[in-house]
């Protein structure tokens, strides 16, 4: 949800622009989004919109109307770019001119809509209805015709226990955020990959939460390195790729000696609602899927079992599905790896004695009923490298655990899709593509706001 502000005594637009954007010149952006004709005339109690934006440097042949068509699919909105950029002549742009492109969406008024209700939806406060009216040239805020297309300035703000401490929204599709959270002892990063056309479509989209594997070289950027932009090109879905720790196991650990590392709280209680509040999503079961590789595949299975109302589709690419088999080999590995690289000697499940209730709660093969009415997609390799101990132990355990899981799903009459390709513990883009098409088919399709 976009940031908002109510003016108090002594505040000016340049000072507020400096506070929110670290650039006093962006006072024009605030004025444009807030329907203020004179940036020097703001008073105590005035409601302001603090939208997000992109910077654009013009090239030879650019015009404001062409840029408005490119960014908003509507050349008539060129006046907003001009106002935010301090341009008085609408078509007077030259090469190498620096422009501010406000972030906005278009909303078509439906029968029964009111500006107060729309203000509550987009800004969290009915008192912002006069701002919407001013921006859109509506003389009577109490009356609006169905079918009217409104311009709504948007952006992302803090909330749900998350404070944005770093961000980059310059790329048309891949947006990056880093958060401060009391659930975590450091600031985890998140990549949000938007579908082509997100900025101009006015559609809501389903969301895939894509979880990376374990290892000191794994983090929220992992799938970008693996080509996620190309794999999702043209696909109508938002992909959220959060940090999960080098060995966080998508869990709140029993013990940590490096401060809080409550990954489960961060992902489920904080990040999911933050995404739904700040992007055009379907904030519902039918609008979400979760998938992951290796440790992330386990995280996907675990989150689906523990929070059965969150995800309509779950996928595990070489992710373990059974914690207690082979004398609890996966639990021992989770404890050992987390103690070594994540928790400063702490563990996920407790050592030398396990927290048995927590193991049971996290164990996919013991939570079979939680997977009913969901799409389930499983991948495990059948021929790990015999000379690579890590590859062999990992994928051998994954394959055996997934077969046990699949047997129990079958006994319960729960349909699932499974693949056993050759090879070992690796991410397989070709099967992710199959998975992604199945995810999109299962979830609610993109539709107008």
């Amino acid at each position: 949800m976009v940031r908002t502000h109510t003016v108090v005594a002594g505040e000016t637009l340049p000072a507020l622009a400096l506070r929110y954007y670290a650039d006093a010149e962006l006072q024009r952006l605030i004025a444009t989004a807030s329907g203020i004709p004179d940036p020097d005339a703001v008073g105590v109690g005035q409601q302001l919109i603090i939208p997000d934006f992109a910077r654009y440097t013009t090239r030879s042949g650019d015009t404001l109307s062409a840029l408005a068509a490119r960014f908003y699919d509507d050349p008539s909105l060129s006046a907003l770019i001009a106002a935010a950029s301090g341009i008085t002549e609408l078509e007077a742009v030259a090469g190498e001119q620096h422009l501010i492109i406000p972030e906005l969406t278009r909303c078509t008024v439906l029968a029964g809509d009111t500006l107060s209700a729309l203000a509550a939806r987009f800004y969290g406060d009915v008192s912002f209805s006069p701002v919407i009216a001013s921006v859109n040239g509506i003389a009577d805020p109490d009356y609006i015709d169905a079918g009217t297309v409104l311009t709504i300035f948007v952006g992302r703000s803090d909330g749900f226990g998350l404070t944005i401490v770093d961000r980059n929204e310059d790329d048309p599709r891949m947006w990056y955020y880093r958060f401060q959270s009391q659930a975590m002892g450091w600031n985890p990063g998140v990549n949000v990959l938007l579908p082509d056309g997100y900025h101009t479509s006015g559609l809501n989209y389903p969301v895939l939460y894509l979880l990376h594997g374990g290892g000191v070289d794994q983090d929220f950027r992992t799938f970008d390195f693996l080509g996620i932009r190309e794999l999702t090109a043209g696909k109508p879905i938002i992909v959220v790729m959060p940090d999960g720790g080098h060995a966080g196991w998508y869990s709140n650990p029993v013990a940590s000696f490096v401060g809080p590392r409550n990954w489960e709280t961060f992902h489920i209680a904080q990040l999911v609602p933050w995404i739904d509040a700040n992007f055009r999503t379907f904030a519902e079961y039918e609008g979400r899927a979760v998938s992951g590789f290796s440790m992330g595949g386990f995280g996907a299975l675990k989150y689906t079992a523990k929070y059965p109302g969150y995800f309509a589709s779950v996928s595990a690419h070489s992710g373990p599905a059974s914690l207690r088999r082979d004398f609890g080999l996966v639990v021992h590995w989770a404890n050992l790896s987390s103690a070594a690289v994540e928790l400063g000697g702490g563990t996920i499940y407790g050592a030398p004695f396990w927290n048995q209730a927590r193991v049971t709660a996290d164990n996919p093969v013991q939570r079979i009923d939680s997977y009913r009415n969901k799409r389930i997609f499983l991948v495990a390799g059948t021929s790990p490298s015999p000379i690579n101990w890590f590859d062999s132990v990992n994928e051998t355990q994954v394959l055996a655990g997934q077969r046990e899981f699949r047997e129990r799903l079958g006994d319960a009459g729960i349909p699932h899709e499974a693949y056993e390709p050759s090879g070992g513990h690796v991410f397989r883009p070709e099967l992710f593509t199959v998975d992604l098409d199945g995810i999109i088919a299962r979830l609610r399709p993109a539709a107008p706001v």
Side-chain angles (χ1 to χ4, degrees):
M1 188 171 290
V2 68
R3 292 173 289 183
T4 61
H5 182 83
T6 302
V7 177
V8 300
E11 289 183 330
T12 65
L13 281 192
L16 291 171
L18 192 63
R19 180 195 308 178
Y20 285 106
Y21 301 126
D23 185 348
E25 291 297 314
L26 289 174
Q27 63 169 315
R28 294 187 296 259
L29 173 61
I30 299 175
T32 302
S34 305
I36 299 173
D38 182 358
D40 294 324
V42 292
V44 173
Q46 190 155 1
Q47 304 280 52
L48 303 179
I49 306 298
I50 316 293
D52 288 331
F53 68 97
R55 296 185 187 272
Y56 178 80
T57 301
T58 59
R59 306 184 181 102
S60 177
D62 277 341
T63 65
L64 287 185
S65 57
L67 292 173
R70 182 191 311 176
F71 284 99
Y72 306 137
D73 204 27
D74 186 345
S76 70
L77 296 180
S78 59
L80 297 178
I81 300 175
S85 304
I87 297 172
T88 55
E89 297 292 334
L90 285 189
E91 292 304 314
V93 292
E96 300 295 316
Q97 189 164 354
H98 302 297
L99 301 181
I100 299 300
I101 312 293
E103 187 173 339
L104 54 85
T105 190
R106 310 304 301 281
C107 173
T108 301
V109 176
L110 303 177
D113 276 344
T114 64
L115 285 189
S116 294
L118 294 173
R121 181 197 308 174
F122 288 104
Y123 301 137
D125 188 338
V126 297
S127 67
F128 278 85
S129 59
V131 175
I132 298 176
S134 178
V135 167
N136 289 278
I138 298 171
D140 183 0
D142 295 324
Y143 178 79
I144 184 169
D145 289 324
T148 301
V149 179
L150 300 177
T151 296
I152 305 290
F153 287 83
V154 294
R156 281 140 301 284
S157 63
D158 301 338
F160 307 97
L162 300 179
T163 300
I164 302 170
V165 296
D166 194 20
R167 65 200 291 168
N168 189 312
E169 299 169 336
D170 293 341
D171 188 271
R173 293 189 62 206
M174 186 72 82
W175 287 3
Y176 150 79
Y177 304 90
R178 191 168 290 279
F179 298 103
Q180 184 180 72
S181 164
Q182 290 188 351
M184 304 298 301
W186 67 295
N187 299 334
V190 178
N191 269 343
V192 179
L193 183 59
L194 302 172
D196 295 303
Y198 176 87
H199 307 291
T200 58
S201 70
L203 302 179
N204 279 15
Y205 292 89
V207 180
L208 166 63
Y209 289 83
L210 187 55
L211 311 179
H212 67 77
V216 295
D217 59 342
Q218 303 298 298
D219 60 22
F220 70 97
R221 302 167 298 173
T222 293
F223 289 103
D224 199 15
F225 298 149
L226 291 171
I228 191 66
R229 302 185 202 213
E230 293 75 22
L231 292 170
T232 59
K235 305 292 186 180
I237 192 167
I238 296 170
V239 183
V240 178
M241 294 161 283
D243 264 331
H246 298 318
W249 287 89
Y250 298 92
S251 297
N252 294 349
V254 168
S256 170
F257 299 109
V258 293
R261 290 292 189 274
N262 296 312
W263 290 108
E264 187 172 331
T265 296
F266 169 63
H267 293 137
I268 300 297
Q270 297 180 325
L271 183 61
V272 168
W274 186 87
I275 290 292
D276 285 335
N278 286 284
F279 292 88
R280 298 197 311 274
T281 70
F282 299 112
E284 60 185 49
Y285 170 76
E286 296 288 344
R288 301 191 201 101
V290 61
S291 178
F293 169 68
S294 188
M295 181 183 79
F298 165 73
L301 291 171
K302 167 191 165 167
Y303 284 166
T304 300
K306 294 186 76 172
Y307 305 94
Y310 273 60
F311 306 104
S313 176
V314 57
S315 315
H317 295 258
S318 290
S322 179
L323 296 184
R324 298 184 186 276
R325 66 172 296 108
D326 294 335
F327 307 101
L329 182 60
V330 175
V331 174
H332 288 306
W333 178 240
N335 278 341
L336 179 64
S337 60
S338 63
V341 303
E342 183 80 13
L343 302 172
T347 61
I348 298 296
Y349 292 111
F353 303 107
W354 299 350
N355 182 319
Q356 296 290 345
R358 185 168 293 189
V359 173
T360 298
D362 288 0
N363 194 2
V365 299
Q366 293 182 269
R367 303 295 303 274
I368 293 299
D369 279 346
S370 297
Y371 297 95
R372 294 190 184 279
N373 304 313
K374 294 172 171 57
R375 173 186 175 271
I376 303 166
F377 186 94
L378 304 167
V379 177
T382 59
S383 53
S385 170
I387 61 173
N388 184 328
W389 176 88
F390 181 84
D391 184 65
S392 182
V393 170
N394 257 297
E395 204 65 8
T396 298
Q397 184 62 212
V398 164
L399 180 62
Q402 285 199 11
R403 285 176 172 174
E404 178 187 352
F405 181 56
R406 287 157 44 194
E407 181 178 1
R408 297 196 185 193
L409 290 172
D411 290 343
I414 298 174
H416 52 279
E417 187 176 353
Y419 294 84
E420 292 188 359
S422 61
H425 198 68
V426 295
F427 178 71
R428 296 170 171 85
E430 68 281 2
L431 283 176
F432 175 78
T433 299
V434 174
D435 184 20
L436 184 62
D437 288 341
I439 289 169
I440 293 171
R442 172 62 181 85
L443 297 185
R444 184 174 172 180
V449 176

